Amino acid sequence: MLYNVDFLIAGLIILCLVLLQFQLTRAKKRGLSSKVFLAMLSVCILDVALDAVTAYLIQHAADYSLVVLYVANSAFFLSQILVTAMLYLYAVAICNNFRREYAVSLVVSVIPLLLFAVLTLSNPVTHVFFSFDTVTHEYSHGPYIYLLYMLAFFYSIVTIGYSTLCRKLMRGIDYLAIWEFCVIAITCVFLQARYPDLLMTGFGIGLGAMVVFLTINNTDGMFDAQSNVFDIEGFRRQIDTMIQRKADASLVFVSLEMLRTLNKLGGPSISDSIIQEVAAQLRALSRTKMVFRMKGSQFVVLCDSRREQRRIFHQITTWLDQTHPVHGMPARISYRAGTVDSVAVFDSSYEIQSYLEYLLSYMRRNDMTVLPDALSLLKDYQFERKIAVFNNQAMEQNLFSVYAQPLYGVKEQRFVGFEILSRLFHPDLGFISPEVFIRLAEEEGTVGKLGALQYANALEFVKDNRDRLRAAGVTQMKFNVSAVELIDPMLPLRILDRIKNLELDPDMFGFEITETSAVKYGESSERFVTLLQEAGCHVLLDDFGSGYANLDSVMNLPFQGVKMDMTLLRSASADENARTLYSGLVGIMKGLGKSIVSEGVETVEQADYLKNLGVDLLQGYLLCKPLPIEEAVAFVEKANAEGRW
């Protein structure tokens, strides 16, 4: 028989090019599905090559022994079935379902192959598939030749059925590629069965492999080599595909805390080992192996059922609560974990990612370790997102209002200045708490822009009202400086440049840096303080005594004064030990020549107590709440004129 090998050669060329491209574009550390695809591609090339070899041998059978003819054709028959079996295994691999489907995969992929292998190996005796004439070596089909085509058809149908059942575990594009491979393979098998001299099967295999390669779920490009799980890009692709198909799933999220502290204590190898151990544990617990490393030490597990979600959440939190050896020392891993019951309520993976960041921020603010019902906070999250959008709009259009809270000078016995504050009014939601819009600005990296608006608006007001302020006895205007602003090396220069351009006295302006930020960013803090104080401005340490830093750290920074933490004053009003601590801190600061501002003054008793301690400035609701700056100036003018307080 004469065979047309043109399509066969074309298929072999396609497969070789796919293999070359796969090797050039895939990472050396491959995921499971890529390894299975490589094995499938190798089998495809072997099959098409054997198809070409056997076609040649059949046409020149008289030149070769019967042993060579039977061995070559038997190997080709086995490779034909192995191709479709490997496609089924690839479908299982991209679903990460080997553990769950192990028994089924064994039965479906191995047992039929073994039975077919037995029949093929016995074919030289039984001639059930093919035979060669002992004299002429002429090739002829056996009575069960169509079993080859039926088995190939069987594997194609099983692969389509399995991928359909597990469709929510794979991307839509991968699901479509598997269908296309099967349809192409079945079509070419039928064509070759109908026209035996037209070798179409190899061409179909080449086309199918190319389709799968072009749409392959690239686990290497979405693979985090350090933790051996998928990365954030893999999470986005998987979630966006599920949202597009309106499929649902639930999440378990875990964030490892205090790893930076561990790095400082023992080096990065400690945190690396913890990340790897937790990732391995999550993979072991996850049936689908859909584990993703988000940012740094944050992980998400995608679950295909609520039962699976509850099981993983319970087991991982139980495991994390136990003691684990870290570099030979027993230790507990600090973490925060929670669940999200449905991804269907979100519009995109970016929204889910943003929601997870909100949940972790919420848990840290409220000192929570676990949050098993995270969707209960969805309305709060959506409320904050609405504020965040308005926040950006307000910055662009300068919609923030300048407020001021008066400062009372104890020695002067009158109001001598203001703390400048920002307030935001939403047309539908009303006044937004500064704690909310400032925190959102910090999280989104726009707090510097917010601060710049506050400085600009307040300084313009001072310029336009300098005579009025001087007449009212106002000599101090104080601003709060955020941690983000503190690490901006150009901020002091921009502030001083604006003060100079407006021809204002630098001595009038003070800047308050929180104790936490001052110690955390020691070098930046020192530069900030030095530049402003050398120019004539004042810098104070805010929230002093809040418990974050020791006195030695604080004293190494050249502050001119401190603002006592208001929670200390509240405690001092009710507890004798707290009163002793407050008095002691004030005494230490006075002994060091620092000016002292006491905030949070809410009762007459507190005011009298602080006056007796000899603090310099009082601030609180007893004296005056924050007011729009115009109203605050009017209040000070009237209060100072009447000699109140």
Side-chain angles (χ1 to χ4, degrees), residues 62-289:
D63 299 333
Y64 296 92
S65 67
L66 288 176
V67 174
V68 173
L69 295 174
Y70 274 108
V71 170
N73 279 272
S74 297
F76 167 63
F77 270 56
L78 289 174
S79 66
Q80 283 270 282
I81 299 305
L82 194 57
V83 167
T84 48
M86 289 298 298
L87 180 61
Y88 166 74
L89 291 178
Y90 176 71
V92 177
I94 63 175
C95 293
N96 289 286
N97 249 1
F98 271 120
R99 172 180 288 189
R100 180 186 181 189
E101 309 295 347
Y102 179 76
V104 176
S105 300
L106 182 67
V107 172
V108 172
S109 61
V110 176
I111 293 181
L113 279 176
L114 290 176
L115 292 175
F116 188 79
V118 170
L119 290 174
T120 302
L121 293 174
S122 64
N123 182 78
V125 177
T126 61
H127 300 152
V128 292
F129 295 137
F130 62 89
S131 63
F132 289 91
D133 186 270
T134 56
V135 178
T136 63
H137 291 188
E138 183 179 353
Y139 175 85
S140 60
H141 292 307
Y144 296 105
I145 183 62
Y146 287 103
L147 181 62
L148 170 67
Y149 302 112
M150 291 173 61
L151 196 56
F153 181 74
F154 163 76
Y155 273 118
S156 298
I157 295 301
V158 167
T159 302
I160 290 175
Y162 174 81
S163 59
T164 301
L165 289 174
C166 299
R167 185 179 178 184
K168 64 180 180 179
L169 296 177
M170 64 175 69
R171 297 186 306 160
I173 196 170
D174 293 306
Y175 175 71
L176 179 62
I178 289 174
W179 263 86
E180 290 174 348
F181 193 124
C182 291
V183 170
I184 292 171
I186 291 172
T187 301
C188 291
V189 166
F190 274 116
L191 284 173
Q192 185 161 329
R194 178 68 179 84
Y195 305 103
D197 61 324
L198 194 62
L199 302 181
M200 289 290 296
T201 304
F203 182 67
I205 290 173
L207 286 181
M210 183 174 67
V211 168
V212 172
F213 172 73
L214 292 175
T215 58
I216 186 172
N217 188 349
N218 184 3
T219 55
D220 303 309
M222 302 182 297
F223 199 74
D224 180 66
Q226 181 188 15
S227 59
N228 202 33
V229 298
F230 295 115
D231 63 13
I232 191 170
E233 182 60 29
F235 174 81
R236 289 169 181 162
R237 282 197 185 183
Q238 187 70 28
I239 292 297
D240 285 336
T241 299
M242 299 184 74
I243 291 175
Q244 289 172 6
R245 297 204 326 261
K246 298 183 179 179
D248 199 9
S250 54
L251 304 176
V252 175
F253 63 90
V254 176
S255 175
L256 307 179
E257 307 287 297
M258 297 181 67
L259 292 189
R260 290 185 179 178
T261 302
L262 289 176
N263 283 345
K264 291 180 180 179
L265 294 175
S269 59
I270 292 182
S271 62
D272 290 346
S273 63
I274 293 175
I275 287 173
Q276 291 164 4
E277 188 173 354
V278 172
Q281 185 66 20
L282 289 171
R283 274 187 56 82
L285 293 175
S286 173
R287 179 178 57 79
T288 62
K289 304 296 184 242

Side-chain angles (χ1 to χ4, degrees), residues 591-613:
L592 293 172
K594 307 292 184 182
S595 63
I596 302 169
V597 182
S598 290
E599 66 173 338
V601 182
E602 298 172 345
T603 66
V604 174
E605 290 75 17
Q606 288 176 337
D608 292 338
Y609 166 68
L610 294 171
K611 288 178 182 178
N612 291 332
L613 285 180

Side-chain angles (χ1 to χ4, degrees), residues 529-550:
V529 173
T530 302
L531 284 174
L532 288 175
Q533 289 188 161
E534 286 180 351
C537 297
H538 304 273
V539 185
L540 281 76
L541 186 66
D542 198 5
D543 295 335
F544 180 68
S546 59
Y548 180 88
N550 56 51

Side-chain angles (χ1 to χ4, degrees), residues 513-521 541-543 546 548-549:
I513 302 173
T514 64
E515 180 181 305
T516 302
S517 300
V519 176
K520 186 175 182 181
Y521 305 106
L541 186 66
D542 198 5
D543 295 335
S546 59
Y548 180 88

